[in-house]
Amino acid sequence: MERIEPVAPVDEHRFPGVVYGPGPWKALSIGWLRAGPQGLAAVPPGPVIGTGTFGVQPFPGPLRLIRVRTPYRDDPLRVRFNGFQRKSDGVDQGPFAVVAECEALGGPAPGARVLIGADRDDMPYVLGVLADQRQPAKNPADPAEQPSDPQRPSCA
């Protein structure tokens, strides 16, 4: 399998996808996902345009990517086969070409294995959001994070 580079989504990107995991992660398996600056979320079916929040279910906690792989035979059926097929250059592709295997870092089920199934063309957006979750948020009030001015003497 060739390497998939993460793409940080600037705008909202909706695509067919499935989430599988224990507890609240199971409720997210609607069939469509949204990747955007707000993070990952399950959305009502259909490629709706806009940023409305009706029916949007944000992911319940941060995830750590373990690996991206092709679907395994023992993966749940909804991850392997969800009924969506795209045509690319006139060739039918499988419903979900790749699976992001993740570990829940927080939320209601820390340490749980969570699978995200999506088409190869959409997985870079999922990886981009997961990569953004790893970046610690900068606190502008923290003096340790302020860039030092070499022309100004320090008061320390």
Side-chain angles (χ1 to χ4, degrees):
M1 185 167 87
E2 61 193 55
R3 183 172 171 83
I4 299 175
E5 294 294 327
V7 173
V10 178
D11 295 326
E12 185 176 280
H13 180 73
R14 291 178 183 237
F15 53 93
V18 172
V19 178
Y20 182 81
W25 297 101
K26 227 179 246 188
L28 296 176
S29 189
I30 298 175
W32 282 80
L33 299 177
R34 179 193 74 193
Q38 309 90 352
L40 289 167
V43 294
V48 178
I49 305 299
T51 56
T53 59
F54 178 76
V56 174
Q57 298 177 12
F59 280 26
L63 297 172
R64 179 180 68 86
L65 179 67
I66 297 171
R67 71 179 143 256
V68 176
R69 57 176 175 78
T70 56
Y72 291 164
R73 182 174 282 207
D74 63 342
D75 284 343
L77 284 176
R78 72 175 81 160
V79 174
R80 290 187 289 153
F81 307 106
N82 195 34
F84 293 106
Q85 293 217 352
R86 290 189 179 180
K87 290 193 176 197
S88 175
D89 299 330
V91 178
D92 283 337
Q93 295 178 338
F96 295 117
V98 290
V99 174
E101 187 175 340
C102 304
E103 176 187 8
L105 295 177
R113 185 180 118 179
V114 178
L115 303 176
I116 303 172
D119 190 79
R120 181 178 298 276
D121 296 339
D122 300 317
M123 188 56 73
Y125 297 102
V126 173
L127 300 180
V129 172
L130 293 176
D132 282 349
Q133 287 180 354
R134 289 184 296 170
Q135 306 295 330
K138 292 187 178 181
N139 183 359
D142 188 359
E145 293 184 9
Q146 297 295 326
S148 61
D149 187 356
Q151 297 176 352
R152 234 175 155 183
S154 174
C155 295

